[in-house]
Amino acid sequence: MSSLFRSEEMCLVQLFFQTESAHSCINELGHLGLVQFKDLNPGVTAFQRRFVKEVKKCEEMERILSKKVCILL
């Protein structure tokens, strides 16, 4: 990823994605190093956000996989 102290011109944009394609689009932009995220709702807690269920599923999957990796090692 690029340095935070870059001399390149930057601009603030707001992107709207369909829910189904959001992950792959942001993932691709992240691999290219072309984005920096800014939370536009800093007063909203994690549990009030739309994607809470997905984050919980990912955390649970991570726990399950880490347990299986430890057992295999």
Side-chain angles (χ1 to χ4, degrees), residues 10 39 45:
M10 295 180 70
D39 189 354
T45 67

Side-chain angles (χ1 to χ4, degrees), residues 4-67:
L4 290 176
F5 303 106
R6 54 184 154 196
S7 59
E8 298 175 22
E9 284 282 325
M10 295 180 70
C11 63
L12 178 63
V13 298
Q14 188 172 8
L15 302 173
F16 294 93
F17 298 106
Q18 291 183 354
T19 306
E20 299 81 23
S21 63
H23 180 270
S24 60
C25 292
I26 295 300
N27 187 43
E28 194 63 34
L29 290 171
H31 283 305
L32 295 172
L34 298 176
V35 293
Q36 180 177 344
F37 294 98
K38 180 178 180 179
D39 189 354
L40 297 178
N41 300 303
V44 177
T45 67
F47 294 105
Q48 293 173 321
R49 296 180 185 264
R50 276 184 50 207
F51 52 83
V52 171
K53 290 179 187 175
E54 289 81 2
V55 170
K56 286 182 180 180
K57 285 180 188 178
C58 290
E59 288 174 346
E60 182 61 30
M61 190 181 310
E62 184 180 36
R63 273 189 237 113
I64 291 169
L65 290 173
S66 65
K67 285 178 186 177

